[in-house]
Amino acid sequence: MNFTEIAQTRQSCRSYDPTREVEAEKLDTILAAACLSPSACNGQPYHITVCKGEIAKKVAEATRDMGINAFAPDAPILLVISEKPYVAKAALGARLKKNDYRSIDIGILSAYLTAEATAQGLGTCILGWLNEAEIRELCGLDGAVRLVITLGYAKEGDPHRQKKRKELDELVSVIG
């Protein structure tokens, strides 16, 4: 699959097959791709906690509230993305330029993770609705939890949804 095919195929999976485990080789490939994602000053100011089994179920429950993310407990793996400190040069740049490079880096990391998961035939969903304190405690983390990404195989017959996106001319301006 080339990148455009990955982008066209990838969607937020909300229907996982809870009986189908993710192969270790596929998970390793996804995590290796994540390590290649660019970050400010190559600082990689984040940590990925791979949750499986009972801990995955508990983390999934910490993403559910008011009927949101009801599908999360069916995903066999949850990837908890937490913050780590900036490297000195990126910290200085963030202060001087008043820009949150860490959040940008976590966004890029998430794109790499979800794109490689798609290339491996797996589904993902990026969850921002979560109980941060509970997940920090469950995973023994000291950095703020920013995202949880569900990972697994979609249930058989889960349809590919038509993408609803803005037109290119609404998103892009060419000047000069």
Side-chain angles (χ1 to χ4, degrees), residues 1 3-12 118 160 163:
M1 234 188 280
F3 185 77
T4 300
E5 291 167 330
I6 290 169
Q8 290 169 337
T9 303
R10 197 254 161 216
Q11 64 183 7
S12 293
T118 300
H160 187 265
K163 293 194 182 288

Side-chain angles (χ1 to χ4, degrees), residues 30-42:
I30 292 163
L31 295 172
C35 288
L36 296 173
S37 68
S39 60
C41 303
N42 198 32

Side-chain angles (χ1 to χ4, degrees), residues 5-44:
E5 291 167 330
I6 290 169
Q8 290 169 337
T9 303
R10 197 254 161 216
Q11 64 183 7
S12 293
C13 182
R14 294 185 180 92
S15 181
Y16 290 96
D17 181 347
T19 66
R20 194 163 174 203
E21 293 297 319
V22 173
E23 298 88 344
E25 306 80 40
K26 288 188 177 188
L27 178 59
D28 289 346
T29 300
I30 292 163
L31 295 172
C35 288
L36 296 173
S37 68
S39 60
C41 303
N42 198 32
Q44 298 177 296

Side-chain angles (χ1 to χ4, degrees), residues 67-124:
I68 295 174
N69 301 329
F71 60 89
D74 286 338
I77 296 176
L78 277 78
L79 305 172
V80 175
I81 314 299
S82 57
E83 288 185 352
K84 293 304 252 180
Y86 282 118
V87 294
K89 201 184 286 188
L92 177 62
R95 266 194 311 271
L96 290 174
K97 295 300 178 181
K98 296 179 176 51
N99 203 343
D100 183 7
Y101 297 122
R102 194 168 23 219
S103 290
I104 295 166
D105 295 343
I106 287 171
I108 297 167
L109 169 75
S110 299
Y112 272 57
L113 282 167
T114 58
E116 185 58 46
T118 300
Q120 295 296 319
L122 295 163
T124 57

Side-chain angles (χ1 to χ4, degrees), residues 112-151:
Y112 272 57
L113 282 167
T114 58
E116 185 58 46
T118 300
Q120 295 296 319
L122 295 163
T124 57
C125 191
I126 302 169
L127 312 179
W129 184 276
L130 50 87
N131 182 327
E132 194 248 349
E134 186 176 345
I135 295 172
R136 281 176 71 171
E137 184 175 327
L138 284 167
C139 296
L141 299 170
D142 54 4
V145 173
R146 293 298 175 213
L147 298 171
V148 173
I149 301 175
T150 56
L151 176 67

Side-chain angles (χ1 to χ4, degrees), residues 156-170:
E156 192 169 323
D158 185 40
H160 187 265
R161 297 179 300 276
Q162 187 69 27
K163 293 194 182 288
K164 297 176 186 172
R165 301 292 190 262
K166 291 179 180 179
E167 293 296 322
L168 193 60
D169 64 352
E170 291 181 72

